[in-house]
Amino acid sequence: MSRTALVFGVSGQDGSLLAEQLAAEGTVVHGTSRQPAGPFPNLAALGLGDRVRLHGCRPDDIDAVRRLLDAVQPDEVYNLSAQSSVGLSFAEPRETIDSILSATVAILDAIRLSGAAIRFCNAGSGECFGETPPTGADESTPFRPRSPYAVAKAAAHWTVATYRESYGLFAATAILFNHESPLRAERFVTQKVVRGAARIAARLAAGQAAEPLRLGNLDICRDWGWAADHVAALRLMLRADSAEDFVIATGEATTLRDFVAAAFSAFGLDWRDHVVSVPELMRPSDIAVSVGRPDRAFARLGWRATTRMPELVHRLAAAARTAG
């Protein structure tokens, strides 16, 4: 019998990539969006326009979620919805916390009340750890969130654990460190850098002046991976014998400075001629080092990130050239 999956937030980067992987394996994919009429550029870019059955549903509306579960009868539910930008969470703290935590509680409670044997995976975040040791954070590392986004993700993480332990649900959190693809919006720094480098290179090639790219703290270190790699771990988590939380990361940290250098080099430019670091773009409580230690994911799921920063930049730059 075919498997049925329901993906909350199917139109985002992770939701679209997950839908692509699920559909490729023969799973029937249903997805939600707050605006079911679209447009859905990510789904279209992946050729999924007619392969995902779309539903309008607010994931924080438990009655709507319950009706959707009854209609779809999924075997698996993935929650990839809500506001996903750390930077934006400082400007909209209440909205960010509400969108993340309320949706997680509503979906879990709807699953609990349905009584069905539904497996649930929630998208967590490495931001929950705050500053990590240079050797990386694993599943036993304490959370010390330092942004409204991370506070909400930490609360959602423990909510999932509570429903797993108290109600016996198959519920798990993927503690995802940074993961990128061409489907990312430009408000994320990796795309801001790569697309900025592409625009500067194009203007210079046309004999035009180019404004410098303005960034914040270039010394931060992040664990940047390829989004399709990370999303694949979610499927493996729900096919395991038992529900567990897993750190999903490359295990390697790169400074933003090195990422910027690689991105501009991909367009034949020296970043030092085109980038300025400005105080107003630095976050109120930025994390210096954020890196994961994914040993458990490899040992128990057989999962390992296959793409590291240099190849990641190469792929993002190639996509930016194609986009023009």
Side-chain angles (χ1 to χ4, degrees), residues 50-270:
D50 59 352
R51 303 183 69 188
V52 176
R53 305 176 190 186
L54 291 166
H55 306 267
C57 181
R58 288 182 56 92
D60 57 352
D61 182 341
I62 186 171
D63 292 329
V65 174
R66 287 190 68 184
R67 289 192 295 270
L68 187 56
L69 293 180
D70 289 342
V72 172
Q73 298 188 3
D75 302 292
E76 301 173 348
V77 171
Y78 300 86
N79 181 24
L80 306 175
S81 64
Q83 201 284 98
S84 59
S85 169
V86 176
L88 183 59
S89 78
F90 286 104
E92 300 178 357
R94 181 180 59 80
E95 294 85 350
T96 297
I97 293 170
D98 283 349
S99 72
I100 293 171
L101 185 55
S102 296
T104 305
V105 174
I107 297 169
L108 282 165
D109 222 32
I111 292 172
R112 177 181 69 87
L113 293 170
S114 75
I118 296 171
R119 296 189 169 205
F120 174 72
C121 185
N122 198 53
S125 174
E127 290 282 332
C128 295
F129 296 112
E131 198 83 22
T132 69
T135 54
D138 65 14
E139 295 80 4
S140 64
T141 304
F143 285 171
R144 294 187 176 89
R146 296 180 63 183
S147 68
Y149 170 84
V151 167
K153 285 292 187 179
H157 175 101
W158 293 119
T159 300
V160 172
T162 297
Y163 272 76
R164 179 173 66 235
E165 296 164 3
S166 299
Y167 301 115
L169 298 188
F170 192 108
T173 296
I175 308 171
L176 298 159
F177 279 74
N178 297 65
H179 49 287
E180 314 301 325
S181 81
L183 302 181
R184 272 288 198 210
E186 195 164 335
R187 67 176 180 272
F188 293 89
V189 70
T190 49
Q191 285 291 57
K192 179 179 180 180
V193 169
V194 172
R195 295 180 190 178
R199 283 194 294 268
I200 290 171
R203 289 187 66 85
L204 294 176
Q208 301 172 340
E211 291 291 324
L213 180 65
R214 294 159 56 87
L215 297 172
N217 183 1
L218 297 176
D219 294 322
I220 61 168
C221 288
R222 293 293 183 268
D223 186 325
W224 277 300
W226 185 242
D229 282 351
H230 285 44
V231 165
L234 276 62
R235 294 186 296 117
L236 295 174
M237 288 172 61
L238 291 198
R239 314 291 165 75
D241 292 335
S242 59
E244 291 184 83
D245 306 322
F246 289 94
V247 165
I248 306 300
T250 71
E252 297 179 1
T254 302
T255 65
L256 179 57
R257 188 184 310 276
D258 287 344
F259 187 100
V260 170
F264 275 79
S265 177
F267 293 94
L269 301 174
D270 186 331

